[in-house]
Amino acid sequence: MMQEASPLKALVLYESFFGNTRIIAESIAKGLERKAEVVSKNIKSCTPEELRSVHLLVIGCATRGFRPSPETHEFLTSLSREDVKHLAVASFDTRIDLHTIESAILRWIVDLGGYAAKPIAKKLEQKGARLIAEPMGFLVLDKEGPLKVGELERAQAWAEGLHMS
């Protein structure tokens, strides 16, 4: 008798301050549902041990001071090579649209400083995980939101395009 392959499992971790990143994470989870069993949860309630039973890990947070939030950074730092070496990974952030910043100097500073998704991806790769997509940013209209029109659909489409194999 042939043994049925176990379903792919995905975990979408997020940290959200004003709810925008959580909403994007839920849209990403929805985009992954066709190809995997998906759990979406706040990064604060996840332990590294939980990663051992998943195939794909997607992590995102709001950009804070040009980088991941302290809790997201702390979680990434706590991971060992053993925790992530088997994982396909992707990262995302929520950010203010550069084109909506009126001050050219502030726009230049934000552009130079960067966003959270890239350092998240870099840290996961340094630990031995396999990055399967370029880090992605989703736009909010102001510091506290709301999300720019179309971002939920864009997040879902991005997730649908992630290939775990």
Side-chain angles (χ1 to χ4, degrees):
M1 186 160 107
M2 281 186 65
Q3 188 173 5
E4 196 173 307
S6 61
L8 293 174
K9 294 183 179 180
L11 178 60
V12 180
L13 296 179
Y14 63 87
E15 184 176 11
S16 190
F17 295 93
F18 303 108
N20 300 299
T21 309
R22 177 187 52 78
I23 294 168
I24 291 290
E26 290 168 356
S27 190
I28 289 169
K30 186 175 180 183
L32 293 171
E33 286 176 350
R34 283 196 198 149
K35 58 180 110 188
E37 291 178 6
V38 186
V39 172
S40 177
K41 66 191 290 186
N42 192 301
I43 201 164
K44 295 174 188 176
S45 65
C46 185
T47 64
E49 293 76 28
E50 291 178 70
L51 305 183
R52 296 185 184 138
S53 65
V54 300
H55 304 94
L56 171 65
L57 174 64
V58 180
I59 296 182
C61 68
T63 299
R64 307 291 280 193
F66 312 115
R67 61 176 99 20
S69 64
E71 287 83 0
T72 300
H73 176 76
E74 186 179 307
F75 179 81
L76 292 167
T77 302
S78 76
L79 297 175
S80 72
R81 200 165 182 75
E82 286 300 311
D83 294 328
V84 300
K85 69 180 184 182
H86 68 286
L87 289 173
V89 297
S91 64
F92 72 97
D93 62 42
T94 52
R95 58 178 75 168
I96 293 175
D97 186 352
L98 271 182
H99 304 301
T100 64
I101 300 172
E102 291 182 24
S103 165
I105 293 171
L106 185 54
R107 203 170 36 250
W108 177 79
I109 291 169
V110 171
D111 191 39
L112 182 67
Y115 301 99
K118 200 174 209 176
I120 291 170
K122 184 177 179 183
K123 190 72 162 174
L124 289 166
E125 275 191 306
Q126 287 172 342
K127 300 266 182 165
R130 181 173 49 90
L131 188 66
I132 62 168
E134 287 297 313
M136 182 58 65
F138 298 98
L139 304 176
V140 294
L141 296 178
D142 199 358
K143 181 181 175 185
E144 295 182 20
L147 289 162
K148 185 175 179 181
V149 172
E151 291 303 272
L152 292 179
E153 296 80 7
R154 198 165 71 83
Q156 186 173 338
W158 178 73
E160 289 169 354
L162 295 177
H163 298 287
M164 293 183 251
S165 55

